[in-house]
Amino acid sequence: MPEETRTEAKTGHEVIHGYLRSLDNSPGVYRMLDAQSRVLYVGKARALKKRVSNYAKPSGHSPRIARMIRETASMMFLTTRTETEALLLEQNLIKQLKPKYNVLLRDDKSFPNILVSREHPYPQIKKHRGAKREKGDYFGPFASAGAVNRTLNQLQKVFLLRNCSDATFDSRTRPCLLYQIKRCSGPCVGHIGAEDYAASVADAVRFLKGDTTDLQAQLAAQMAEASEAMEFERAAALRDRIRALTNVQSSQGINPRGVREADIIALHMEGGQACVQVFFIRANQNWGNRDFYPRVGPDIEEPEVLEAFLGQFYDQKEPPRQIILSHPVENMDLMADALSQKLGRKVELLVPQRGEKAELIDSALRNARESLARRLAEGQAQSTLLEGLAEAFDLEAPPRRIEIYDNSHIQGASAVGAMVVAGPEGFVKSQYRKFNIRGTDLTPGDDFGMMKEVLTRRFERLLKEDPDREGEAWPDLLLIDGGAGQVSAVKGILDDLGIEDVPFIGVAKGIDRDQGKEEFHRPGQPVMALKRNDPVLYFVQRLRDEAHRFAIGAHRAKRAKAVSATPLDDIPGVGATRKRALLAHFGSAKAVSRANLADLKAVDGVNEALAQKIYDYFQERG
């Protein structure tokens, strides 16, 4: 059970020492809190009393740990049955609480997979991200959407599998363009039978599982048989498949023979920053790589950074059978045991010194070193631009967080507000936000009204979550797409909220709406412009254009969703699968609304209760 003791007006090692009387040497997790009860650090311990006694010592600590101890006003403890449980709980709390003194993995998005769907007689092959709820075979993870798309393109060339949705497949009366360019075998219109298509699917699955050598040998044998039987067209198609398979393997660059399934993880640290490079090896194939930049301090060592990275990286991801590391972590056996528990089978952690695995690590290390060098160079250039921005617009200091706002709509329809964020490290895409415009009293196309709603929602939330501005979410500068009218409106919004110290600038197109002649509007100051060749002008244009791009993308996604929406979306119990079944059976939502109860019951997947619910819904609507 957690236990907590408050010590007012006291901080430091003496406060920590006071907890030793109530602790034993059980394994567990501890939290160090400051005077405002904010979590400073989360750590695990094989023996809590022994671990905490180290912090109670007045000297012998690194500068980072010494600062943390000085700020500690209280502690919380949670005992666990094993040290492995403590490790898993520690990483869960770190991701949840984001403590100031822990190593933090800042970019932790999900990774895409390839899905061979099994919910249709002619399986679809497609990109998938998120929970694996759909029936089928999943292959991944891939490092990026680009890596998935490249593989899907090659698979289409080789195996001619469809990538259209089930609804599109069922509604086609003639083959699409993909059939014409030999990227699909045309199962929608009967150009290939179910048995032959299933064989192509089986071959694609074998390829994704890494059985490429046997598959190529089998295709070569089939090509020889077709030639002997004088089926030259079929032999040419098989030849093209073999060539495409060879191209896939050669384009992947790294294809280790001795590593079937592993993540290659290499860490490089320099200049107080760290880069972790991850290569995804599955089925003896390279499925891409991704670099990460965890938040670290100047006096943190490689083993601690890598251990924190592994714990947070695999918190919501399935680890592979092997994890090959550039450096040992602090608790190799403990981390391997924790990941094995998550996966349900053994996970092996290796730090190779020679052989193919060492060569893979060398390649990942080189990528990590080069990526961090580019990031440091870009950071220096970004710092110069931020300093120039502060000088050009008379800001008190270079802004560390810039928020740029824009709206997108078509005559008021599918209106979306967008916020993008930039700082010393460039665009911070994990902080981007879109705002679905909710106001029902807005005149269609009322940009002022939309901006008011977006900014009001944004800053009311900030005032609620961080009224003392102690976090990093408060902006140092706002950029608004618009001129004097927009600036006046924004000033009124912020004044109403009692916010008077957040500077903002309106960026207007200027004369002839020509890029390069932008005018900048600030409250109570004359309109100004920057020279055409000023790097700060290009910087502001890039910020504005990114907000515009993000806003348009959000608007298009909302509009596409609205176009595909039907009354069926509003009926409880009718999900995507049943919606597809109803539309396929009746042809349209309107036809569903006219169907009688018996016809609704005849649809696959619609039981008597759901049929009654659908029937009653449309009857009530008239």
Side-chain angles (χ1 to χ4, degrees):
M1 292 292 296
E3 53 178 90
E4 180 180 358
T5 304
R6 299 282 180 210
T7 307
E8 294 183 9
K10 285 187 178 181
T11 59
H13 60 85
E14 292 181 1
V15 171
I16 297 171
H17 192 275
Y19 289 97
L20 295 177
R21 292 189 298 272
S22 59
L23 290 175
D24 59 22
N25 280 322
S26 300
V29 173
Y30 58 92
R31 279 176 270 184
M32 308 175 83
L33 295 84
D34 66 9
Q36 285 76 43
S37 297
R38 293 171 299 195
V39 180
L40 297 170
Y41 185 78
V42 175
K44 68 176 182 311
R46 180 178 301 169
L48 280 170
K49 185 170 186 177
K50 186 181 294 186
R51 186 76 180 93
V52 173
S53 66
N54 290 333
Y55 293 118
K57 297 175 183 177
S59 60
H61 305 290
S62 69
R64 177 177 67 98
I65 299 300
R67 286 196 306 274
M68 181 179 73
I69 291 172
R70 285 197 300 272
E71 293 179 35
T72 300
S74 62
M75 295 185 72
M76 297 178 67
F77 305 95
L78 183 65
T79 59
T80 58
R81 291 177 301 174
T82 65
E83 191 181 0
T84 300
E85 285 185 11
L87 174 62
L88 294 171
L89 178 59
E90 174 202 34
Q91 299 303 334
N92 190 292
L93 288 172
I94 289 172
K95 289 192 73 171
Q96 177 184 335
L97 301 172
K98 296 180 170 55
K100 178 179 177 181
Y101 287 99
N102 282 97
V103 175
L104 292 181
L105 176 58
R106 293 181 285 193
D107 181 9
D108 192 28
K109 297 179 181 177
S110 64
F111 292 92
N113 290 266
I114 285 179
L115 167 62
V116 181
S117 174
R118 299 292 188 181
E119 294 187 339
H120 194 279
Y122 290 88
Q124 172 193 12
I125 187 166
K126 61 183 178 179
K127 179 170 59 180
H128 176 87
R129 195 190 291 268
K132 298 177 179 178
R133 298 191 182 97
E134 191 172 344
K135 292 180 182 178
D137 300 318
Y138 291 86
F139 301 93
F142 286 79
S144 64
V148 171
N149 291 337
R150 285 192 296 273
T151 303
L152 284 174
N153 285 336
Q154 297 291 355
L155 286 172
Q156 283 182 283
K157 289 180 182 178
V158 177
F159 302 107
L160 308 180
L161 303 184
R162 73 179 182 95
N163 66 354
C164 58
S165 68
D166 291 348
T168 300
F169 179 94
D170 293 335
S171 64
R172 291 210 68 87
T173 57
R174 58 182 181 178
C176 66
L177 178 63
L178 288 176
Y179 175 79
Q180 307 295 338
I181 63 174
K182 299 183 179 179
R183 291 290 186 90
C184 180
S185 52
C188 55
V189 290
H191 287 319
I192 184 173
E195 187 176 338
D196 289 339
Y197 188 84
S200 295
V201 172
D203 286 344
V205 169
R206 286 176 60 194
F207 171 77
L208 289 168
K209 287 181 176 179
D211 299 333
T212 54
T213 303
D214 291 343
L215 179 58
Q216 283 180 301
Q218 177 185 318
L219 291 174
Q222 291 176 4
M223 182 178 69
E225 288 176 9
S227 296
E228 289 178 9
M230 302 184 74
E231 297 176 359
F232 299 119
E233 188 173 341
R234 179 166 169 263
L238 289 165
R239 178 203 61 203
D240 293 341
R241 279 197 185 191
I242 294 169
R243 286 179 178 173
L245 272 175
T246 305
N247 289 336
V248 172
Q249 292 168 300
S250 62
S251 66
Q252 289 175 331
I254 299 173
N255 290 290
R257 295 180 180 178
V259 181
R260 181 171 180 81
E261 177 187 326
D263 286 348
I264 315 298
I265 302 179
L267 166 68
H268 179 72
M269 298 179 66
E270 183 181 337
Q273 295 193 42
C275 176
V276 179
Q277 187 79 207
V278 183
F279 280 82
F280 300 92
I281 306 296
R282 300 293 186 273
N284 298 99
Q285 303 171 47
N286 173 25
W287 284 359
N289 63 295
R290 174 83 71 87
D291 47 7
F292 300 86
Y293 301 92
R295 190 189 77 187
V296 299
D299 52 359
I300 296 180
E301 299 296 327
E302 285 92 345
E304 183 180 354
V305 174
L306 262 186
E307 180 177 291
F309 177 84
L310 291 176
Q312 294 173 53
F313 184 70
Y314 292 113
D315 181 55
Q316 299 295 328
K317 299 180 181 68
E318 185 178 286
R321 295 175 185 270
Q322 270 193 353
I323 300 174
I324 302 173
L325 304 172
S326 59
H327 301 78
V329 300
E330 290 186 331
N331 301 280
M332 291 281 285
D333 294 340
L334 180 64
M335 180 60 71
D337 184 44
L339 295 176
S340 297
Q341 285 190 23
K342 286 177 67 69
L343 187 60
R345 49 183 165 83
K346 185 179 179 182
V347 174
E348 186 179 16
L349 268 60
L350 303 173
V351 184
Q353 302 301 315
R354 57 184 177 273
E356 186 180 34
K357 293 182 177 70
E359 291 174 5
L360 290 171
I361 280 294
D362 288 342
S363 177
L365 267 173
R366 184 178 66 254
N367 278 271
R369 187 165 53 249
E370 293 171 354
S371 295
L372 185 56
R374 286 193 297 270
R375 186 178 179 87
L376 291 171
E378 290 167 2
Q380 292 174 353
Q382 189 81 353
S383 297
T384 303
L385 289 170
L386 292 172
E387 289 169 4
L389 188 68
E391 183 178 348
F393 296 107
D394 300 321
L395 304 177
E396 292 182 359
R400 295 195 59 79
R401 181 184 175 97
I402 306 171
E403 293 183 357
I404 310 98
Y405 292 87
D406 196 5
N407 299 324
S408 185
H409 59 90
I410 295 179
Q411 296 180 339
S414 302
V416 174
M419 176 190 84
V420 306
V421 179
E425 296 176 352
F427 290 112
V428 189
K429 295 193 175 183
S430 62
Q431 296 289 308
Y432 286 16
R433 296 291 181 269
K434 65 178 180 181
F435 299 81
N436 289 315
I437 303 300
R438 300 171 182 163
T440 55
D441 57 343
L442 293 177
T443 304
D446 180 5
D447 285 326
F448 290 165
M450 293 178 196
M451 186 60 66
K452 181 177 181 179
E453 179 179 330
V454 168
L455 289 178
T456 300
R457 285 164 57 186
R458 168 64 179 154
F459 282 93
E460 280 183 346
R461 182 167 183 173
L462 278 177
L463 288 168
K464 180 181 179 181
E465 294 181 350
D466 188 11
D468 299 325
R469 307 193 188 187
E470 294 171 339
E472 299 178 353
W474 277 85
D476 302 307
L477 175 66
L478 305 182
L479 289 181
I480 311 296
D481 185 29
Q486 291 281 22
V487 167
S488 178
V490 171
K491 186 177 188 307
I493 296 163
L494 296 183
D495 287 347
D496 290 344
L497 295 170
I499 300 170
E500 300 177 351
D501 56 348
V502 176
F504 54 92
I505 300 167
V507 185
K509 283 290 198 312
I511 301 171
D512 301 326
R513 300 185 64 80
D514 183 15
Q515 183 160 311
K517 296 181 180 179
E518 280 83 358
E519 294 178 343
F520 300 98
H521 298 257
R522 294 172 292 171
Q525 297 189 46
V527 178
M528 64 170 290
L530 297 172
K531 293 180 180 179
R532 265 188 178 271
N533 60 351
D534 192 330
V536 174
L537 175 60
Y538 298 140
F539 180 49
V540 173
Q541 288 172 350
R542 197 163 79 243
L543 297 176
R544 179 201 58 199
D545 292 346
E546 174 67 1
H548 191 56
R549 179 201 65 79
F550 183 63
I552 288 176
H555 163 69
R556 285 175 176 165
K558 185 176 181 180
R559 193 176 68 207
K561 187 175 181 180
V563 167
S564 63
T566 74
L568 298 173
D569 297 321
D570 300 325
I571 305 176
V574 178
T577 302
R578 284 171 176 159
K579 177 183 172 182
R580 284 198 300 268
L582 286 162
L583 292 175
H585 186 90
F586 292 103
S588 69
K590 190 171 185 178
V592 176
S593 71
R594 295 172 175 171
N596 60 40
L597 197 57
D599 290 337
L600 289 169
K601 292 178 186 177
V603 178
D604 186 34
V606 177
N607 58 29
E608 185 172 349
L610 182 58
Q612 187 68 55
K613 188 182 292 185
I614 296 169
Y615 181 78
D616 291 344
Y617 174 83
F618 286 112
Q619 290 301 309
E620 289 169 6
R621 292 185 61 183

